[in-house]
Amino acid sequence: MGVEKFAKKEVAALMSRAGSSTRASVGPIEGMINLGAGDPDFNQPEFINKAVYDAMVAGHTHYSFTGEPDFKEAIAKYYKKYGVDIDPKTQVLITSGGSQAIFQAFAAILDPGDEIVVFDPAYTGYNTPIAYFGAKMVRAKQVKNKDGIFRPDFANLEAVITPKTKAILFCTPDNPTGTVWTKDELKKLAEICVKHDVIAISDEIYTEFIWGGKKHNTIIDLPGMWERTMVLMSFSKTFAWTGCRAGYIIAGPELMKVLAAVPVGICSVPVPFQKAAIKALADGWDFVAEMKAEYKKRIDYMTKRLNEIEGVKYAKPEGAFYLFPDISSFGMPSMKFAMEFFQKEKVRVAPGSAYGEMGEGHIRFALVRPVEDLEEVCKRLERFVKNLPPQAPPAVP
Ligand SMILES: Cc1ncc(COP(=O)(O)O)c(C=O)c1O
């Protein structure tokens, strides 16, 4: 019908390039194991379900224009664990999960033609909102250190900043690489943001999932950063709340005024869920500890087992619950590898190239299935790679 003519120019462009994503649903397919999307396989505990119901019964079913004040207070109290004092009234904005936090952060600052630097590899959910606002995503490399862990390349970052750069977006702990930024790395980034007068958008939605004694640090309280940082947070992973939708942005009071001016209407997290989220922040930590113990088991199992599969190189993640092994020795583009693995073995993984050029030669496993399923995944992977024809390795980007 040619309805594209009605579409906003950026939307029409997005329509024409719409393709597969890790979030696209497939199936049901008999025997499929889906490690594509990062949707935790845990259900929220009963006491949180009950808190939603109790809030409705108590009459918390009315407009909530900028979010519930007691929810914002609970968030400020929680974030204090990172040594940062936040004024809940002026420094917290409630969003419908991390995706709305991303959208609202971009909506607040990006004009058509602006540039935003996103590290490479990076979570794919930044790409289309940037395009929607007519801005340009510029990539700065993460490069692997001798232990195979991706780290930010600051020389490359400085080289890609231009007078059009509005913001630098990074993620710690990182999806897909599992990198947890060190204090020194955050300091370097803060200095660069101040020097070039740009905003840091710090995606911290995996803060609760850190392994091997590392600690989460935040950039927001480093010198000069209060007025130029937006911290994006979500309950999706922390409390396995991907369907319930709750998230927030933390920023300094001046930047918060810019964020709050985005016309999203009323707060889009239903009030009973905001009330239940308060309960989760108060009493949900045993549940989080159980999930963490289970993820740790999965990571330990997978890293040991992948070691036995010839040609697969991996680094143990410092955070989050993904594995991003290097499969470049098989000489196949990661998209082809992921597609053929799915067609032949019914295992869904994400191709590393989806996360940027630096992700090529990798695949991402989201460890959202129990160890028994992961055992089966490794068996199928072993069989799949054994049957691959020998090929010349591709050029490393
Ligand atoms: C790094 C990162 N940021 C943001 C999001 C989006 O969060 P939500 O699922 O709460 O919308 C995700 C989801 O996978 C993510 O991995």
Side-chain angles (χ1 to χ4, degrees):
M1 239 221 337
V3 289
E4 291 80 2
K5 66 175 182 278
F6 298 121
K8 173 178 152 76
K9 162 165 77 57
E10 289 79 10
V11 170
L14 286 171
M15 284 166 77
S16 68
R17 67 175 223 218
S20 65
S21 112
T22 57
R23 292 181 164 195
S25 55
V26 276
I29 295 170
E30 174 84 23
M32 180 175 97
I33 304 177
N34 191 349
L35 303 184
D39 191 353
D41 56 333
F42 308 95
N43 290 330
Q44 70 188 9
E46 189 50 33
F47 79 92
I48 301 183
N49 300 344
K50 191 169 170 305
V52 176
Y53 179 74
D54 288 348
M56 287 192 280
V57 172
H60 296 298
T61 52
H62 297 270
Y63 279 136
S64 170
F65 289 102
T66 63
E68 294 296 279
D70 48 352
F71 185 26
K72 293 182 181 180
E73 273 162 28
I75 287 165
K77 191 168 161 214
Y78 161 74
Y79 204 73
K80 220 179 164 75
K81 78 189 256 190
Y82 301 117
V84 179
D85 274 322
I86 296 163
D87 173 11
K89 291 195 184 74
T90 59
Q91 293 178 240
V92 180
L93 180 121
I94 308 294
T95 63
S96 174
S99 301
Q100 193 200 329
I102 292 168
F103 196 83
Q104 194 150 347
F106 293 172
I109 60 168
L110 293 179
D111 283 316
D114 282 348
E115 292 178 5
I116 171 167
V117 180
V118 175
F119 278 89
D120 180 354
Y123 169 60
T124 54
Y126 311 127
N127 307 6
T128 48
I130 293 173
Y132 175 79
F133 291 110
K136 181 174 166 201
M137 178 167 68
V138 174
R139 304 309 292 259
K141 289 180 184 158
Q142 297 199 69
V143 287
K144 284 197 263 187
N145 67 10
K146 66 176 179 10
D147 300 320
I149 298 177
F150 280 92
R151 306 251 53 118
D153 176 342
F154 291 105
N156 182 248
L157 171 63
E158 287 234 74
V160 301
I161 293 174
T162 76
K164 289 185 181 163
T165 308
K166 266 269 173 77
I168 299 169
L169 189 156
F170 71 109
C171 181
T172 181
D174 188 54
N175 169 17
T177 63
T179 303
V180 172
W181 283 49
T182 64
K183 257 192 172 159
D184 273 354
E185 286 166 341
L186 293 171
K187 268 190 204 149
K188 270 190 207 138
L189 179 60
E191 282 161 17
I192 290 171
C193 288
V194 171
K195 177 172 153 198
H196 294 274
D197 195 16
V198 297
I199 284 173
I201 302 182
S202 177
D203 186 334
E204 303 182 13
I205 84 163
Y206 292 95
T207 33
E208 287 305 325
F209 304 100
I210 295 193
W211 320 110
K214 296 251 163 194
K215 261 188 64 198
H216 176 69
N217 293 295
T218 181
I219 196 169
I220 197 166
D221 63 340
L222 294 181
M225 293 311 288
W226 268 112
E227 62 269 35
R228 59 175 74 256
T229 304
M230 299 176 183
V231 174
L232 313 183
M233 292 290 261
S234 168
F235 277 51
S236 293
K237 318 292 169 166
T238 308
F239 295 106
W241 258 40
T242 50
C244 290
R245 314 304 302 148
Y248 50 102
I249 303 178
I250 295 170
E254 293 304 310
L255 208 45
M256 189 51 77
K257 285 184 199 155
V258 177
L259 283 159
V262 176
V264 287
I266 61 161
C267 175
S268 57
V269 183
V271 178
F273 284 93
Q274 294 189 52
K275 299 294 185 193
I278 298 171
K279 189 87 180 148
L281 283 172
D283 301 329
W285 299 105
D286 286 349
F287 171 58
V288 175
E290 276 167 37
M291 277 194 298
K292 279 175 80 168
E294 179 60 28
Y295 283 134
K296 175 138 188 346
K297 248 200 305 190
R298 296 174 186 182
I299 291 171
D300 289 348
Y301 171 77
M302 281 296 273
T303 49
K304 179 175 153 292
R305 187 67 178 84
L306 286 181
N307 208 14
E308 295 163 8
I309 303 178
E310 209 173 318
V312 178
K313 283 184 272 165
Y314 68 90
K316 221 172 170 170
E318 297 173 326
F321 45 77
Y322 304 98
L323 286 188
F324 201 55
D326 185 324
I327 44 96
S328 58
S329 73
F330 301 108
M332 249 172 134
S334 57
M335 179 63 88
K336 187 165 188 276
F337 188 100
M339 275 172 61
E340 289 193 10
F341 188 34
F342 180 57
Q343 281 156 1
K344 295 196 174 136
E345 299 289 352
K346 296 188 196 167
V347 177
R348 195 137 190 265
V349 297
S353 57
Y355 303 94
E357 259 179 44
M358 300 303 289
E360 184 50 288
H362 300 76
I363 50 171
R364 191 196 75 169
F365 295 102
L367 300 185
V368 292
R369 303 298 311 153
V371 169
E372 305 82 74
D373 283 7
L374 301 180
E375 284 170 6
E376 181 59 28
V377 165
C378 289
K379 254 191 237 160
R380 295 187 198 179
L381 180 66
E382 201 158 37
R383 183 168 60 206
F384 175 70
V385 299
K386 263 193 196 137
N387 291 329
L388 285 176
Q391 294 185 48
V396 177

